[in-house]
Amino acid sequence: MAKIIGGLTTSHIPAIANAMANGLEETPYWKPFFDGYPPVRDWLNEKKPDVIILFYNDHGLEFFIDKKPTFAIGVADEYHNADEGWGIPTIPPVTGESELSWHIANSLVEDGFDMTICQEMKVDHGLTVPLNLMWPGYNYGHVKVIPVCINCEQHPMPQPKRTFALGQAIGRAVASFDEDLNVVVFGTGGMSHQLDGERAGIINRKFDIECLDKLVTDPEDLTKYSNLDLVEIAGAQGVELNMLLAMRGTLIGQVKELHRNYHAPISNTGSGLMLLEHTMPEK
Ligand code: DHB
Ligand code: FE
């Protein structure tokens, strides 16, 4: 049986890749952020997951505002970065995984989640930055990645209640896959931030920390918020909390917090790194 052995949350902002490319990790600005990562990298290197399911949002690259799947899943063998950022970087492709991807896609549709299923998909910083953070130097080629994309850019967006339910459905789908695979789930992005408009730059530390606490102990409580609540409390891009919630939804057994590092601001965001160990429920 495939097993989800853990879940983690991490920022995905493009400035991180730029800081890594320029060796800025030890500078006073970046150090409190990067200092959080070694324990998570060590855990991943020790556990050696076969597959990563990665929730991210496409920031207008593959899915622009004229065509926006609410939820999309990649089933390709490979994903190429096409994010412009500081000019399109030539980074290695991300390795895909087609069997478990198709199994999840099929069971989600059967379970009432009408996914957009992508046999080809260009990816952006939402996917590549977290992978590079965990395996620096873009050394992530050995791990198979299943991208799951949640619309967090263009209203109407799926509500927290629904993204949490999507995660739970993915948790059930993994549990019903026969092959012995160890899976880790990434929820990327967040936390509070707003990139434009009058409230650009707002950060709500208190709310971010409350969300991290609740993600461990009572994630369902976070589904009481609507996306408009999140915009008000945590800024227009605070809705990226949906990716963290979807990750937590997949952890349908017992969780234990192994590590956390909250730091704000980093670029325009509150950054919440958290590692949760997961034990699958008894069958
Ligand atoms: C930033 C935040 C994001 O969520 C993003 O996708 C890009 C940039 C930022 O704060 O710089
Ligand atoms: Fe983002």
Side-chain angles (χ1 to χ4, degrees), residues 23-41:
L24 303 178
E25 289 98 324
E26 294 296 318
T27 57
Y29 181 83
W30 285 102
K31 190 170 165 39
F33 169 80
F34 281 107
D35 275 356
Y37 282 83
V40 184
R41 291 175 187 147

Side-chain angles (χ1 to χ4, degrees), residues 109-185:
V109 175
E110 266 171 43
D111 219 346
F113 290 89
D114 304 320
M115 307 297 289
T116 297
I117 299 170
C118 303
Q119 298 184 49
E120 274 182 20
M121 183 157 79
K122 294 187 288 293
V123 293
D124 74 4
H125 60 273
L127 184 113
T128 58
V129 167
L131 292 173
N132 188 38
L133 263 169
M134 299 307 162
W135 293 281
Y138 296 100
N139 284 311
Y140 46 63
H142 61 289
V143 58
K144 294 177 173 176
V145 178
I146 303 179
V148 182
C149 193
I150 297 176
N151 171 22
C152 292
E153 299 78 44
Q154 171 86 333
H155 294 280
M157 301 168 184
Q159 297 293 342
K161 201 170 158 183
R162 187 72 176 149
T163 54
F164 186 68
L166 173 75
Q168 291 175 311
I170 292 179
R172 291 192 295 272
V174 172
S176 69
F177 191 64
D178 272 342
E179 209 180 315
D180 282 334
L181 293 174
N182 285 333
V183 179
V184 173
V185 185

Side-chain angles (χ1 to χ4, degrees), residues 53-75:
I53 297 175
L54 195 150
F55 290 101
Y56 76 113
N57 60 316
D58 178 289
H59 296 76
L61 179 96
E62 173 70 54
F63 309 123
F64 195 53
I65 50 178
D66 57 339
K67 295 183 200 72
K68 239 346 165 181
T70 302
F71 297 128
I73 181 167
V75 294

